Amino acid sequence: MLQALRFEREALFALDQTQLPEREIVLELRSAAEVAEAIKRLSIRGAPMIGVAAGYGVALACLAGEPAADACELLVAARPTAVNLAHAARRVRDVALDGGAAAAVAEAVAIEAEEVAASDASASFGADLLAGVRTVMTHCNTGALAAPGRGCALSVVAELAQRGSLERVTATETRPLLQGARLTVYELARLGIPHELIVDGAAAGLIARGHVEAVIVGCDRVAANGDVANKVGTYGLALAAREAGIPFVVVGPTSTIDRSCDSGSEIEIEERDGSEVRSFRGAATCAVETVCRNPAFDVTPASLITALVTERGVARPVSGETIAALLP
Ligand code: MRU
């Protein structure tokens, strides 16, 4: 199985996702600062994965005799939207305050194990929900690179393929960083799942023409009322799915639910540098002086989401009540 992260010999080894699919380069990260930088530049990405990495980042600081609180602050600041990052970093920090470095490492390992179990359970719930579906569209990358185990939305896709119904996955390229084109296609090819790649602008028209039976995506933060922040472009897919009358399914572990956030309007949306739009891997996409806006995420209202699949079951319809029922 694809392993995006490995904690070993007091270092975090991370497959550099900015280099895929051309180069499989493994980074050796030895401090919280190095982990935070890897998260910022998207060498490590995907909501559950950056949570796990942040947990190990705090543990690395503890092993080096540095204050867990400082490491936690640094890591939480790396990216604002995915709540998993803050949840995991704070969890390891709190354990370290009493138990020291060994307890911090054990907590980070436990968080990773919980996410692997969540991926498996969500895959099964999601495949039950979408039983018999032959064609799906997915956005961004939500597989083993984005979440420990088999991922979130892509774990459901893999499970549907394993159960034998799935005939084709349509992956959006996901501008501006091409997580779909570079990473989802890489994962689907490794899994041997039939797939095709489309430009983001083709998605709504293909959905309207009945090209797919369902849209399935991951999530970076779920507000208490069920609104979902996910990769920019998700909202448009949800609107197209609603108009076409096909299911729009969100998959994510409960570690992505933020009870302190009443609705999607309270979720901070990361604004990334315009240079990611102006060029890609050194090649210009427009005139250098072009002003670019680069929000990394958008918010899809709960009313457009058919179901939220988690390791604790499925919220359907998605509402404050059904979300609360998933939580302990
Ligand atoms: O900016 P990214 O690549 O980290 O964005 C990732 C996404 O939006 C995913 O859909 C989300 O994290 C869920 S993946 C398990």
Side-chain angles (χ1 to χ4, degrees):
M1 195 190 276
L2 190 56
Q3 199 173 13
L5 287 184
R6 181 168 43 91
F7 188 76
E8 215 175 84
R9 301 189 311 273
E10 304 199 356
L12 182 63
F13 295 88
L15 187 55
D16 187 346
Q17 298 192 34
T18 64
Q19 301 300 310
L20 290 171
E22 288 90 350
R23 287 174 290 277
E24 293 182 353
I25 293 171
V26 176
L27 304 168
E28 184 174 337
L29 308 170
R30 296 209 156 262
S31 67
E34 285 180 5
V35 175
E37 278 310 309
I39 291 172
K40 273 187 203 165
R41 67 171 179 266
L42 306 188
S43 290
I44 304 170
R45 49 150 296 285
M49 199 62 83
I50 60 178
V52 169
Y56 282 123
V58 175
L60 284 173
C62 297
L63 288 166
E66 292 157 11
D70 293 354
C72 179
E73 208 174 309
L74 186 74
L75 285 151
V76 170
R79 291 192 82 188
T81 304
V83 74
N84 314 57
L85 189 150
H87 273 164
R90 291 183 182 134
R91 207 172 125 179
V92 176
R93 173 201 64 189
D94 292 351
V95 164
L97 293 178
D98 281 339
V105 173
E107 193 68 8
V109 169
I111 291 171
E112 183 173 14
E114 286 167 22
E115 294 292 1
V116 172
S119 166
D120 280 342
S122 308
S124 177
F125 284 126
D128 290 347
L129 180 77
L130 292 172
V133 160
R134 291 161 299 167
T135 52
V136 298
M137 184 177 289
T138 191
H139 188 50
C140 196
N141 170 263
T142 63
L145 292 167
R150 288 197 284 170
C152 58
L154 221 59
S155 77
V156 174
V157 167
E159 183 65 23
L160 284 169
Q162 216 163 37
R163 294 187 188 182
S165 73
L166 200 65
E167 291 168 11
R168 184 190 65 232
V169 179
T170 301
T172 58
E173 64 182 359
T174 316
R175 280 287 289 151
L177 289 177
L178 301 183
Q179 285 95 326
R182 295 186 300 107
L183 308 176
T184 299
V185 166
Y186 172 80
E187 290 204 44
L188 290 169
R190 284 176 58 108
L191 292 166
I193 297 174
H195 59 277
E196 62 184 4
L197 179 67
I198 59 168
V199 298
D200 292 3
L206 285 171
I207 290 171
R209 283 157 57 194
H211 190 63
V212 292
E213 293 171 344
V215 177
I216 181 164
V217 299
C219 48
D220 284 82
R221 190 184 298 223
V222 181
N225 71 344
D227 293 348
V228 163
N230 190 49
K231 178 52 55 194
V232 67
T234 301
Y235 177 41
L237 296 178
L239 288 166
R242 167 59 55 91
E243 183 67 15
I246 62 169
F248 180 84
V249 174
V250 176
V251 185
T254 49
S255 58
T256 310
I257 299 173
D258 184 0
R259 291 182 222 235
S260 72
C261 215
D262 288 339
S263 76
S265 61
E266 291 175 19
I267 300 175
E268 184 181 348
I269 300 297
E270 178 183 10
E271 289 277 346
R272 293 183 65 85
D273 200 273
S275 59
E276 290 178 342
V277 181
R278 269 190 295 277
S279 67
F280 184 72
R281 287 194 179 155
T285 57
C286 58
V288 285
E289 67 277 12
T290 308
V291 176
C292 295
R293 180 86 191 264
N294 190 14
F297 302 97
D298 58 26
V299 173
T300 300
S303 59
L304 291 178
I305 303 169
T306 310
L308 172 73
V309 177
T310 75
E311 80 280 12
R312 290 174 175 268
V314 177
R316 183 183 190 179
V318 180
S319 67
E321 293 70 41
T322 57
I323 297 285
L326 291 173
L327 298 172

